Amino acid sequence: MSDLPTPDRAVRRRSSTRATLIAAAEALFDETGSTSISVEAVVSRAGFTRGAFYSNFRTVDELFFAVYEQQAEAVFAVLERELGDALEGEHRTVDDVVQGVVRGLPPEDKWYAIRSVLLTRARHDADVNALLRAHTDRFHDTLQPLLIAALRRIGRVPTVDDALYTRAVVAAHVGAVSQSVLFDATDAVRIAAVEGCILGLTTPAAD
């Protein structure tokens, strides 16, 4: 019997290697606060060779996009659940939508910190810019229908374009999360920022 791995086993092994590299990069970011780390540092942390790295990623930037994308997938799932809950039941209120958004968007500054570093690189690197735009567009495209449906459920509509409104809510939330290193009551700031967008940039829907 051949000792060569079957195709399914090879796929599973590569998937496991990729996941371990992503976890190593995330751990290194937690420790250093930077995505400027070497391939050697990643493979040393993961217990792999450079060959294992390059069979999964072309660059460290691409690896950190994978970290960002993995976190984004988790955010999408939470958003769908939390804003979906805001559409259920009778007599939904502004507070229900605010809480759905605040619980759905990630409170951890790490996700935004990685994105911030990638944004800086995107200013000077067209490839990084294109990848980050694609991920950001997908994030907003996922949030927009959920957010607008939740607003309509409480009888309100944006006073600006739906896409612009969605980006304003995200921008307000990102700004609030960025206060976490300077102000302890971050949750209160997040709630106030999102509520401000819902009350300040929407109006009662016409009957």
Side-chain angles (χ1 to χ4, degrees), residues 67-106:
V67 174
Y68 176 76
E69 192 167 34
Q70 178 174 277
Q71 293 173 336
E73 290 296 332
V75 170
F76 294 153
V78 174
L79 272 173
E80 289 177 349
R81 183 182 71 244
E82 295 296 342
L83 282 175
D85 287 348
L87 300 176
E88 298 297 326
E90 299 295 329
H91 308 300
R92 298 288 87 185
T93 66
V94 168
D95 186 61
D96 291 322
V97 178
V98 171
Q99 292 299 324
V101 173
V102 170
R103 288 194 301 265
L105 293 175

Side-chain angles (χ1 to χ4, degrees), residues 163-184:
L164 178 60
Y165 178 78
T166 302
R167 287 179 181 271
V169 171
V170 173
H173 185 267
V174 170
V177 173
S178 71
Q179 297 295 309
S180 62
V181 296
L182 304 172
F183 184 64
D184 292 336

Side-chain angles (χ1 to χ4, degrees), residues 101-131:
V101 173
V102 170
R103 288 194 301 265
L105 293 175
E108 300 84 2
D109 60 359
K110 177 173 65 178
W111 193 69
Y112 300 103
I114 291 176
R115 185 174 183 276
S116 179
V117 172
L118 293 174
L119 274 170
T120 300
R121 296 193 180 191
R123 298 180 191 279
H124 310 286
D125 187 317
D127 290 338
V128 174
N129 188 296
L131 283 170

Side-chain angles (χ1 to χ4, degrees), residues 2 17 24 26 35 49-50 52 61 82 91 94 141 151 161 168 197:
S2 173
T17 300
E26 189 170 1
T35 62
T49 63
R50 287 173 62 89
D61 277 344
E82 295 296 342
H91 308 300
V94 168
D141 289 346
L151 290 175
D161 175 78
C197 283

